[in-house]
Amino acid sequence: MPPPPSPSQDWNPPNTLLPGPVFSQVADHKQKPATYQQLLDNGEVLMVPIGDARMDKEGAWWKILLSGAVAGTVSRTSTAPLDRTRVHMQVYSSKKHLMNLLGGLRSLIQEGGFRSLWRGNGINVLKIAPEYGIKFLVFEECKAHFGESSNPIFQEDVLAGSLAVAVSQTLINPLEVLKIRLTLGRTGQYDGLGDCVGQILRREGPAAFYRGYAPNMLGIIPYAFTDLAVNKMMNNIRVKSRGDNEEHSQAYNIYTQTVSTVCGQMASYPLTLLRTKLQAKDTVEGSKPTMRAIFRDIVAEQGWPGLFRGLTPTLLKVIPAVAISCTVYTTMKSTLGV
């Protein structure tokens, strides 16, 4: 667990590194309200804990971000096979060719061997540092503009977190497109990242790097508010019971954050699916797919359940990703002396 802050600090300590919205901590009615926030990460599990980055230690912020980057690298690499299977199920599964989790894994191994399960993971790891660095900087700038408070206004946290995600995803979207193309690539299709960039530019033009931008931005809304609603509801239940000790309280928070993240991902999943399909589309033949057209095609061919293709591997990776990122993050902080 992250070490507790000094008594001079006016925010309550986080329980652990957990997924959740930017305003995930719900304060106990008998305690001073916490100003600890976490940055929402639509579709991924790792969070950068802002509360940790505000510690009163000279230069501690870069150690916190480095710890988060390393934790994200290990976590995403460990769950990469599930992520690649998810993308294939989202793009290639159809009513005539239903693809389940085991079938998807089997087909990927048959096509490219066991190592192919990690195809596209390099770019996924590469985007961690700029992604979280941008989120952190934008979030801090917004909070500075609003003014610091021991009891931050709910709307301010919502706006700061949403802007942080929006700016980050705007700048990172080209890397997301490259990740999807490399993940879906057949063996030998691309000779590395540079070749993938070149092929996209030659065939589709620069605009292709912003495929899926609209559903990506829209997905922030249902994810954030579902995550928040479930988190608040479960924490209110805990506050009313109040029969738990500290250890049970921390375990309950882990459970709460995991459940709220799963619910948030389920609420935003159709938009995540649309984003992936848009980013995967190759316009070599001149087609220009739109979000509305893809939505109509999915519902017409597969029905409403088609909007949730690939949800199983998405949910299966939540628990291991949380456990791995927590462990690696705490170890890195200890190693760096934070």
Side-chain angles (χ1 to χ4, degrees):
M1 304 303 293
S6 63
S8 62
Q9 291 171 285
D10 61 1
W11 52 275
N12 291 328
N15 290 295
T16 186
L17 178 64
L18 293 167
V22 295
F23 27 76
S24 61
Q25 292 295 329
V26 178
D28 189 325
H29 296 314
K30 297 181 181 179
Q31 296 175 338
K32 180 182 260 186
T35 61
Y36 171 73
Q37 291 93 14
Q38 294 168 326
L39 287 174
L40 178 148
D41 189 0
N42 192 16
E44 296 286 356
V45 175
L46 178 71
M47 296 291 108
V48 171
I50 297 303
D52 275 3
R54 287 176 173 171
M55 294 194 309
D56 277 332
K57 291 187 178 181
E58 187 69 25
W61 64 270
W62 71 266
K63 295 181 181 180
I64 296 298
L65 294 184
L66 177 60
S67 299
V70 173
T73 298
V74 177
S75 175
R76 291 184 183 183
T77 301
S78 301
T79 58
L82 286 172
D83 195 50
R84 186 164 191 237
T85 305
R86 168 189 66 85
V87 173
H88 270 258
M89 291 176 68
Q90 288 176 330
V91 175
Y92 295 127
S93 185
S94 64
K95 191 173 184 179
K96 295 181 180 179
H97 180 63
L98 289 177
M99 185 185 298
N100 57 30
L101 176 58
L102 292 179
L105 285 169
R106 189 183 303 114
S107 64
L108 290 175
I109 294 174
Q110 289 174 347
E111 190 278 328
F114 186 74
R115 291 181 60 183
S116 71
L117 295 177
W118 279 266
R119 190 173 296 161
N121 184 59
I123 188 68
N124 199 24
V125 168
L126 184 65
K127 70 187 181 71
I128 290 175
E131 184 177 5
Y132 286 109
I134 294 166
K135 285 181 182 178
F136 173 77
L137 291 174
V138 174
F139 186 85
E140 286 297 286
E141 285 298 317
C142 290
K143 295 298 288 184
H145 177 74
F146 295 145
E148 293 293 337
S149 171
S150 60
N151 187 16
I153 301 174
F154 169 80
Q155 291 88 341
E156 291 183 357
D157 281 344
V158 174
L159 181 57
S162 298
L163 286 173
V165 177
V167 173
S168 171
Q169 291 302 306
T170 298
L171 299 175
I172 296 299
N173 203 84
L175 296 180
E176 291 282 358
V177 173
L178 288 171
K179 172 203 165 184
I180 295 298
R181 296 299 179 90
L182 289 169
T183 298
L184 294 172
R186 302 179 301 276
T187 301
Q189 182 175 357
Y190 300 113
D191 294 329
L193 179 60
D195 182 53
C196 183
V197 172
Q199 288 193 37
I200 293 174
L201 287 174
R202 287 194 301 272
R203 296 176 178 180
E204 305 167 60
F209 288 107
Y210 276 88
R211 291 266 182 78
Y213 181 75
N216 198 14
M217 293 295 101
L218 291 174
I220 295 171
I221 300 171
Y223 185 98
F225 282 95
T226 303
D227 197 342
L228 171 67
V230 174
N231 190 281
K232 287 190 69 174
M233 179 185 69
M234 296 184 71
N235 275 282
N236 285 336
I237 294 173
R238 178 175 68 98
V239 168
K240 289 179 180 179
S241 65
R242 290 310 299 166
D244 52 2
N245 55 33
E246 186 63 24
E247 291 184 1
H248 179 76
S249 175
Q250 292 178 356
Y252 188 84
N253 276 323
I254 294 175
Y255 171 71
T256 298
Q257 296 290 357
T258 303
V259 171
S260 65
T261 297
V262 167
C263 292
Q265 289 182 338
M266 291 179 68
S268 63
Y269 192 82
L271 288 165
T272 302
L273 176 65
L274 292 175
R275 179 192 69 183
T276 302
K277 279 186 166 290
L278 280 168
Q279 292 174 339
K281 287 290 184 180
D282 189 332
T283 59
V284 176
E285 299 178 356
S287 63
K288 293 184 179 180
T290 64
M291 184 169 66
R292 181 180 297 180
I294 291 178
F295 177 83
R296 284 201 306 263
D297 290 344
I298 293 173
V299 174
E301 182 184 352
Q302 306 177 47
W304 293 102
L307 295 173
F308 291 89
R309 292 281 182 235
L311 181 61
T312 300
T314 299
L315 300 183
L316 284 178
K317 77 173 187 176
V318 171
I319 295 177
V322 170
I324 293 168
S325 60
C326 283
T327 303
V328 176
Y329 176 77
T330 305
T331 302
M332 280 296 299
K333 279 181 63 181
S334 177
T335 302
L336 293 172
V338 180

